[in-house]
Amino acid sequence: MDWSELIKAANAEGGIDLTPEGMYRVRVETATAAPTSTGSDMIKIKARIVGGPYDNRVEYGQIVLVLDKPKWFFKKIGAFGIGADFFAQNPTMTQIAGVLVGREANATITHREWQKEMRSGLDNFLPLVTGAMPAAPAPASAP
């Protein structure tokens, strides 16, 4: 038995060590339409990190459609390049989930406690940025 290979496999599935919080490029591996416990529509996502020290690690998340706050659903879906033209076709949630598979975006990974265990997961999605990102402004110096 090769323990180092088993540990590597466990970590690839989000296993032993939490993925550090931060922004990562991800590719959607599976996306499934499902209801939330409160009856809202959501898409459950399984994505793999693309590149960097956590390359190929799996993370999970969801995009929830809250009818009185649809902005967040469209912002998150839009990060994957899915816009108004697609929604003009009046797709089902299953069809929306289907077009997410294979698409990439930047994802914020955060930590939260779930069932008395700390877990990492996909929290927000932003479009991929091409070219150099602008530097954050430097703090103002005191007079």
Side-chain angles (χ1 to χ4, degrees), residues 41 60 100 128 135:
D41 289 319
Y60 297 88
L100 281 171
L128 293 175

Side-chain angles (χ1 to χ4, degrees), residues 36-65:
T36 66
S37 60
T38 61
S40 295
D41 289 319
M42 76 171 161
I43 299 173
K44 298 188 326 185
I45 294 173
K46 174 184 175 184
R48 286 200 185 267
I49 294 174
V50 178
Y54 296 93
D55 184 48
N56 208 34
R57 182 174 279 201
V58 172
E59 290 291 341
Y60 297 88
Q62 62 274 336
I63 300 174
V64 179
L65 174 58

Side-chain angles (χ1 to χ4, degrees), residues 24-132:
Y24 297 84
R25 183 177 186 144
V26 298
R27 180 180 304 116
V28 176
E29 199 166 274
T30 63
T32 308
T36 66
S37 60
T38 61
S40 295
D41 289 319
M42 76 171 161
I43 299 173
K44 298 188 326 185
I45 294 173
K46 174 184 175 184
R48 286 200 185 267
I49 294 174
V50 178
Y54 296 93
D55 184 48
N56 208 34
R57 182 174 279 201
V58 172
E59 290 291 341
Y60 297 88
Q62 62 274 336
I63 300 174
V64 179
L65 174 58
V66 179
L67 294 178
D68 62 340
K69 296 177 187 170
K71 170 185 171 181
W72 301 112
F73 176 82
F74 290 114
K75 284 183 73 108
K76 290 178 180 183
I77 291 290
F80 292 95
I82 301 168
D85 290 343
F86 175 76
F87 286 99
Q89 301 170 47
N90 201 28
T92 64
M93 289 297 280
T94 299
Q95 290 169 324
I96 298 165
V99 299
L100 281 171
V101 175
R103 292 185 182 241
E104 294 184 2
N106 287 317
T108 302
I109 292 179
T110 59
H111 297 167
R112 66 179 62 89
E113 187 175 326
W114 189 71
Q115 295 184 344
K116 298 182 181 182
E117 182 180 336
M118 286 303 293
R119 298 185 186 215
S120 59
L122 305 169
D123 189 42
N124 194 18
F125 301 98
L126 299 168
L128 293 175
V129 176
T130 56

